[in-house]
Amino acid sequence: MKTKTCLFLSLALGIQIGFSQEAKDIKTLTSKSGTVLGYSKNSGVKIIKDNGESFKDLNKNGKLDSYEDWRLPVEKRAKDLASKMSVEQIAGLMLYSKHQSIPAGEIGFGAGTYNGKPFSESGAKASAISDQQKQFLKDDNLRHVLLTAVKSPEVAAEWNNNVQAYVESLGLGIPANNSSDPRNTAIVTSEFNAGAGGTISLWPDGLAMGATFDPELVRKFGEIAAKEYRALGITTALSPQIDLGTEPRWYRIAYVFSESPELVKAMGKAYVEGFQTSGKDTEINSGWGYESVNAMVKHWPGGGPEEGGRDAHWAMGKFAVYPGDNFKDHLKPFTEGAFKLDGGTQKAAAVMPYYTISFGRDDIYNENVGNGFSKYMITELLRDKYGYDGVVCTDWLITADEGKTPGTFAGKPWGTEALSVAERHYKVLKAGVDQFGGNNEKGPVLEAYQMGVKEFGEDYMRKRFERSAVRLLKNIFRTGLFENPYLNIQETKEIVGNAEFMQAGYEAQVKSVVMLKNKDQVLPIKEKKTVYIPKIYTPISTDWWGIPTPATFDYPVDLELIKKYYKVTDNPKEADFALVFVRNPQTKEAGYSEVDRKEGGNGYVPISLQYETYTATTAREKSIAAGDPVVDPEITNRSYKGKSSTSSNIMDLRTIEDTKMLMGDKPVIVSVTANKPMIFSEFESQVEGIVLNFGISTQAVMDIVSGKQEPSGLLPLQMPANMETVEAQQEDVPFDMIPYQDSEGNTYDFGFGLDWNGVIKDKRTLKFKKQ
């Protein structure tokens, strides 16, 4: 076993110059063969010598236990520690915290206190451990913490050191395994990348990364992001999302790479390799080491084929359907990608099932339950058929109670609504899952344990718990946390978001931009001409909990940035060209309307990909799946046929039309920021240029428009000709829409994109073709 350690994990420098009070409390020493040990002098941990080597006495028993011996294989260490853990300790290890911001917010979701006071009144440092965190770390034995926003990289590092010193003093000294949803995205949105932005390298994500068609770029991203994660104290990434984007209306399609099984397989594999593989000088064993970050791929067995595009975060979208009987394609990114790595780590460290009920796919137990509850999906399929023995963690809050209506954001116990919270935990355990996402409390896990004892006996349940404990502990051992979980604050500041990493991320953003139309080679506009940019009306919007954001009428971009490229005028008559920044059509109701339900309808409405009012005359007469035994038991058909919906941002289309009228014969360029496919026929023929991005910086778009960079992005998804082809396509089948053909004769199909010479045809388009 190699025993070198990464410099940024060594606190030697921090001790010498005293970056913080916390750093002074940390001691490090290097064992004879090179392994660096870090520990808090206040935790009670002592150093044990054996054959000249040094080891941490984590359980303070005065002897070297197997789990403390870094010379032994990870499997043996994990089994030894699991055997020493109480049922209560294992129950805590099975918990994955709710979202934590550093410092804790003062109101609303994720709020916390410090000595009973909100942060602003407490006098606590931003890196202090909140009351709630102390409780779940000490009383509930939780060791897996999900981080969102942090005040700064150095605050994150200090908080990590505080937490690691705190848990090192408890019981068996098991380190915290901190984790994150994607943090490196250029555009910050809620929930899925709530910790994004700030001082960290900014990259394309999801469809934006997919548009590069470049797995090697994804691997490079993984390697860089892993270094930044480790410098923040994060050792597990709740990513990548390797669902197939086969349903164009799906709410979460923005976060997938593509609808192509082959492209998603390659991109997901590269992502996991990049995150999990340490460099040779930081490797511990088999690719794992001090630069490794465990990747939790999601969402098994593929969350993409949501009926009608509705999403399973809400009861209205609990069903994934397979009208094309194409279940197998959705498994490929997992079974042929993330589970078959080329490097030493071999496979993704963890898997997250989606909330969805994979309707009608369980042919053994004939259950229609959420995938985290399904013994067929987890044990029969994932574990037994495909041989996956890593950690399986539920998506967040599947054991909590659902909301009062199908459109209320709350728990997601799909298919188990009639069970108690503890009974749901037990069903998850029986399915073969190891961990409960978004549960800070061990109580229901212990209740589930006793249910198992009653049904199968103490010996059976003890072994069942230890099996999960070993899987969970292996992910902590192989990242080196048991030897040294502490960070050097100065090196954290130097690593996270450094100039080299920032530049790499920015270059990737540029590569993700797709040029769709360039009539008469109007682009690039290299000279410093005069541009007209219209203001955009942004309608009122609400977040996950229904809290509204007021409507605005303002410029959609920073004009100071635009002025670095062109002269800006608010008078179209003075402009040489216009540049209109819009979003793809946004449906206010994500497939469900409380108003429709109150007026006697079933509540279900179409999700439209066009700006103008859409009436679903060709939708299914009867939905494939239905049923909500708690809040809407009488609804047996979720069809929305004949109903209408209008894009909430229809003014984006009006702005394009008005701008063209104002500009006359002068060129109008449209920059679209999209989070799903859209109907281009509403405005394409009226404008001279279209540049598409999937959520990156305005600067990257402007570098394309101005010719500073050449476009190279390709469509990772089909752009449909109309809503009729969207209704006709099957949710589980890729490439089954009629793509839009524009006024220049180009077809907006998978893999299409323009550069300055015309339609791009290169090794990427040859390798990743429609199949």
Side-chain angles (χ1 to χ4, degrees):
M1 179 179 69
K2 295 188 178 181
T3 53
K4 293 182 180 179
T5 186
C6 182
L7 281 175
F8 73 80
L9 288 172
S10 168
L11 277 168
L13 181 58
I15 293 168
Q16 289 168 10
I17 63 177
F19 293 110
S20 67
Q21 182 62 43
E22 290 82 359
K24 293 177 182 178
D25 295 335
I26 306 303
K27 299 184 71 174
T28 60
L29 64 88
T30 303
S31 192
K32 182 176 68 173
S33 55
T35 294
V36 175
L37 305 179
Y39 60 101
S40 168
K41 67 180 183 181
N42 298 321
S43 69
V45 167
K46 306 296 182 185
I47 296 299
I48 295 176
K49 297 284 187 178
D50 184 79
N51 290 327
E53 299 286 7
S54 300
F55 306 88
K56 292 163 64 174
D57 183 12
L58 290 164
N59 61 2
K60 299 98 176 170
N61 67 354
K63 65 178 184 179
L64 180 62
D65 294 285
S66 293
Y67 86 91
E68 298 164 340
D69 190 344
W70 43 259
R71 298 169 298 190
L72 298 176
V74 162
E75 182 87 17
K76 185 171 183 178
R77 296 180 72 185
K79 286 182 177 178
D80 178 64
L81 179 52
S83 72
K84 290 176 166 59
M85 297 176 72
S86 66
V87 170
E88 289 77 11
Q89 288 171 325
I90 296 177
L93 194 66
M94 289 177 163
L95 303 177
Y96 223 124
S97 84
K98 297 176 183 177
H99 299 66
Q100 304 293 309
S101 61
I102 312 300
E106 300 193 359
I107 58 173
F109 182 66
T113 57
Y114 299 82
N115 293 322
K117 298 179 179 180
F119 175 72
S120 62
E121 300 173 13
S122 67
K125 294 182 66 174
S127 58
I129 309 173
S130 73
D131 299 334
Q132 292 72 23
Q133 290 162 0
K134 287 179 180 177
Q135 179 176 330
F136 65 60
L137 291 168
K138 184 175 185 290
D139 298 338
D140 292 290
N141 302 308
L142 183 148
R143 291 296 179 271
H144 294 78
V145 184
L146 174 56
L147 295 182
T148 58
V150 297
K151 185 177 181 180
S152 67
E154 51 266 42
V155 166
E158 289 175 359
W159 178 86
N160 170 81
N161 289 352
N162 291 337
V163 166
Q164 298 296 4
Y166 184 68
V167 296
E168 191 175 76
S169 70
L170 304 174
L172 295 161
I174 300 171
N177 180 3
N178 302 322
S179 69
S180 176
D181 279 311
R183 305 188 75 82
N184 296 77
T185 53
I187 301 295
V188 181
T189 58
S190 64
E191 208 275 330
F192 306 119
N193 57 357
T199 310
I200 197 167
S201 63
L202 304 177
W203 295 73
D205 182 46
L207 290 176
M209 190 66 89
T212 70
F213 275 54
D214 189 349
E216 281 306 307
L217 178 61
V218 178
R219 183 185 178 108
K220 180 180 180 181
F221 157 68
E223 292 169 350
I224 288 174
K227 289 181 174 66
E228 293 183 309
Y229 274 36
R230 290 303 299 259
L232 292 167
I234 295 169
T235 43
T236 293
L238 301 185
S239 53
Q241 186 175 331
I242 55 175
D243 307 294
L244 296 186
T246 52
E247 167 47 60
R249 297 163 290 188
W250 183 33
Y251 178 68
R252 292 197 70 174
I253 198 171
Y255 306 97
V256 309
F257 291 116
S258 174
E259 66 183 297
S260 162
E262 293 304 311
L263 181 57
V264 175
K265 182 174 73 175
M267 301 292 258
K269 182 176 182 178
Y271 190 111
V272 177
E273 294 267 27
F275 265 91
Q276 291 191 170
T277 307
S278 284
K280 290 300 180 182
D281 59 338
T282 62
E283 184 182 27
I284 297 172
N285 195 22
S286 300
W288 292 103
Y290 295 102
E291 289 180 339
S292 296
V293 173
N294 299 295
M296 184 181 291
V297 294
K298 53 191 186 184
H299 305 87
W300 178 265
E306 299 266 21
E307 185 166 20
R310 300 180 293 269
D311 185 68
H313 277 80
W314 297 266
M316 63 178 177
K318 66 174 66 174
F319 296 105
V321 295
Y322 300 87
D325 196 25
N326 190 35
F327 186 69
K328 65 181 187 305
D329 266 359
H330 294 265
L331 301 182
K332 285 181 179 180
F334 299 90
T335 60
E336 299 178 18
F339 298 167
K340 287 188 177 179
L341 305 181
D342 297 325
T345 65
Q346 297 185 342
K347 59 191 172 188
V351 175
M352 182 188 294
Y354 203 33
Y355 297 121
T356 44
I357 296 169
S358 295
F359 190 73
R361 303 312 302 189
D362 178 355
D363 54 11
I364 293 182
Y365 307 103
N366 296 313
E367 280 192 310
N368 279 312
V369 293
N371 292 308
F373 297 105
S374 173
K375 187 174 181 180
Y376 174 77
M377 293 296 170
I378 306 304
T379 295
E380 309 295 341
L381 204 61
L382 180 61
R383 299 283 194 207
D384 294 346
K385 183 173 181 178
Y386 293 107
Y388 184 78
D389 195 39
V391 168
V392 178
C393 176
T394 74
D395 211 331
W396 265 231
L397 296 176
I398 75 165
T399 55
D401 292 333
E402 67 176 298
K404 295 180 180 179
T405 74
T408 301
F409 185 84
K412 305 107 176 42
W414 312 144
T416 68
E417 293 90 345
L419 300 181
S420 70
V421 171
E423 287 170 336
R424 292 172 194 151
H425 280 76
Y426 185 41
K427 189 166 182 62
V428 168
L429 290 174
K430 290 176 75 173
V433 175
D434 304 298
Q435 199 165 30
F436 301 91
N439 180 6
N440 292 6
E441 300 170 355
K442 69 184 180 189
V445 186
L446 294 175
E447 286 186 67
Y449 181 85
Q450 291 304 322
M451 292 176 188
V453 169
K454 186 174 182 180
E455 182 174 0
F456 296 109
E458 182 82 40
D459 182 63
Y460 175 90
M461 283 306 292
R462 174 71 203 191
K463 289 177 179 176
R464 168 67 185 85
F465 261 42
E466 285 194 27
R467 190 159 61 248
S468 285
V470 169
R471 293 181 183 126
L472 292 161
L473 289 168
K474 284 166 67 175
N475 287 354
I476 305 177
F477 275 114
R478 57 194 177 192
T479 51
L481 291 177
F482 275 87
E483 279 57 70
N484 187 10
Y486 299 99
L487 301 173
N488 178 324
I489 311 303
Q490 182 61 29
E491 289 185 2
T492 290
K493 292 168 67 175
E494 293 170 357
I495 289 168
V496 180
N498 68 50
E500 178 187 349
F501 293 173
M502 284 288 194
Q503 182 62 30
Y506 181 74
E507 290 173 359
Q509 289 185 49
V510 172
K511 290 179 180 178
S512 74
V513 178
V514 184
M515 185 167 68
L516 293 177
K517 185 175 183 180
N518 192 16
K519 184 178 180 180
D520 299 327
Q521 285 70 53
V522 65
L523 294 173
I525 301 175
K526 293 184 177 181
E527 298 84 5
K528 196 158 188 175
K529 293 188 175 182
T530 302
V531 63
Y532 168 65
I533 297 177
K535 292 182 177 181
I536 290 287
Y537 172 75
T538 302
I540 190 170
S541 61
T542 56
D543 65 12
W544 293 78
W545 300 275
I547 300 173
T549 298
T552 61
F553 181 65
D554 204 351
Y555 291 108
V557 293
D558 180 1
L559 291 188
E560 294 305 310
L561 171 64
I562 306 300
K563 289 175 183 177
K564 294 179 180 180
Y565 297 87
Y566 305 110
K567 297 174 184 177
V568 178
T569 181
D570 59 3
N571 184 354
K573 293 181 180 179
E574 297 176 353
D576 297 307
F577 73 104
L579 191 51
V580 186
F581 291 88
V582 298
R583 295 178 67 198
N584 63 297
Q586 305 291 310
T587 303
K588 184 176 181 181
E589 300 96 353
Y592 186 83
S593 167
E594 302 288 358
V595 173
D596 179 84
R597 186 71 184 101
K598 288 176 182 177
E599 292 178 349
N602 65 359
Y604 293 87
V605 294
I607 298 173
S608 177
L609 302 183
Q610 67 183 40
Y611 290 111
E612 296 280 10
T613 298
Y614 165 64
T615 301
T617 57
T618 62
R620 290 187 183 113
E621 292 277 0
K622 183 172 177 57
S623 65
I624 294 173
D628 197 319
V630 176
V631 298
D632 242 344
E634 70 270 27
I635 299 301
T636 59
N637 182 9
R638 296 188 175 199
S639 174
Y640 48 81
K641 185 171 183 178
K643 296 182 183 179
S644 301
S645 69
T646 303
S647 167
S648 61
N649 62 329
I650 189 173
M651 289 305 296
D652 284 17
L653 176 61
R654 299 290 178 257
T655 302
I656 295 172
E657 295 169 337
D658 291 348
T659 301
K660 184 58 185 174
M661 181 179 66
L662 291 169
M663 295 297 292
D665 293 334
K666 291 183 287 188
V668 174
I669 312 301
V670 177
S671 172
V672 181
T673 298
N675 62 1
K676 61 179 65 172
M678 63 182 287
I679 309 296
F680 280 93
S681 61
E682 294 176 294
F683 68 87
E684 174 274 319
S685 63
Q686 303 176 55
V687 302
E688 284 67 37
I690 301 175
V691 177
L692 175 68
N693 78 87
F694 294 102
I696 57 166
S697 65
T698 304
Q699 182 179 343
V701 174
M702 292 307 299
D703 275 358
I704 297 293
V705 172
S706 67
K708 187 175 180 180
Q709 301 281 348
E710 183 168 14
S712 62
L714 304 168
L715 285 178
L717 302 159
Q718 292 182 310
M719 295 294 152
N722 48 50
M723 282 303 298
E724 287 69 34
T725 192
V726 173
E727 296 290 2
Q729 61 88 37
Q730 297 173 308
E731 286 92 336
D732 58 325
V733 178
F735 314 131
D736 63 339
M737 292 190 294
I738 300 170
Y740 176 67
Q741 186 175 65
D742 73 7
S743 56
E744 300 293 293
N746 291 317
T747 300
Y748 295 179
D749 205 348
F750 170 78
F752 171 74
L754 299 172
D755 59 18
W756 303 139
N757 296 315
V759 177
I760 297 172
K761 293 188 182 299
D762 56 22
K763 62 181 180 181
R764 298 173 300 161
T765 58
L766 288 174
K767 181 175 182 180
F768 299 109
K769 296 182 291 187
K770 288 175 21 178
Q771 294 179 347

